[in-house]
Amino acid sequence: FSTLSEAGIEELAKLSTEISYDPNQTIITEGDIVDAVYLIAKGEVEIDIRVNQNKNIPQCLLRTGDAIGLSHEGFFSQTG
């Protein structure tokens, strides 16, 4: 998003919906159908892979300005 003009950012903002999440709240679970792009406006999001019912392995940490959403293969990926 760093290459967007101010007018482009304003247009994107008009199409956006702000959603807040609690700390440690799951946003997307592997296998979910994701039909949106999530832009992190404030805070951090940890991306984990679940290896069994009781264990997740952290993969990366996304911060303010990063995004997560659909990739061209149809499942979620991160940018940043």
Side-chain angles (χ1 to χ4, degrees):
F1 297 102
S2 63
T3 60
L4 281 178
S5 66
E6 190 162 331
I9 292 171
E10 288 174 10
E11 232 6 79
L12 184 60
K14 289 178 189 176
L15 301 170
S16 301
T17 302
E18 185 174 327
I19 302 171
S20 296
Y21 293 93
D22 294 326
N24 299 312
Q25 183 177 353
T26 299
I27 299 171
I28 302 170
T29 301
E30 188 173 359
D32 285 353
I33 295 173
V34 181
D35 62 355
V37 173
Y38 296 85
L39 174 63
I40 302 167
K42 181 179 177 184
E44 298 177 336
V45 175
E46 183 177 272
I47 306 296
D48 297 341
I49 292 179
R50 180 167 289 191
V51 292
N52 63 44
Q53 287 184 344
N54 300 315
K55 184 171 183 171
N56 293 338
I57 299 175
Q59 296 299 298
C60 66
L61 186 65
L62 304 177
R63 293 183 172 89
T64 301
D66 291 338
I68 187 167
L70 290 178
S71 73
H72 64 279
E73 288 98 12
F75 38 99
F76 67 91
S77 63
Q78 83 267 347
T79 63

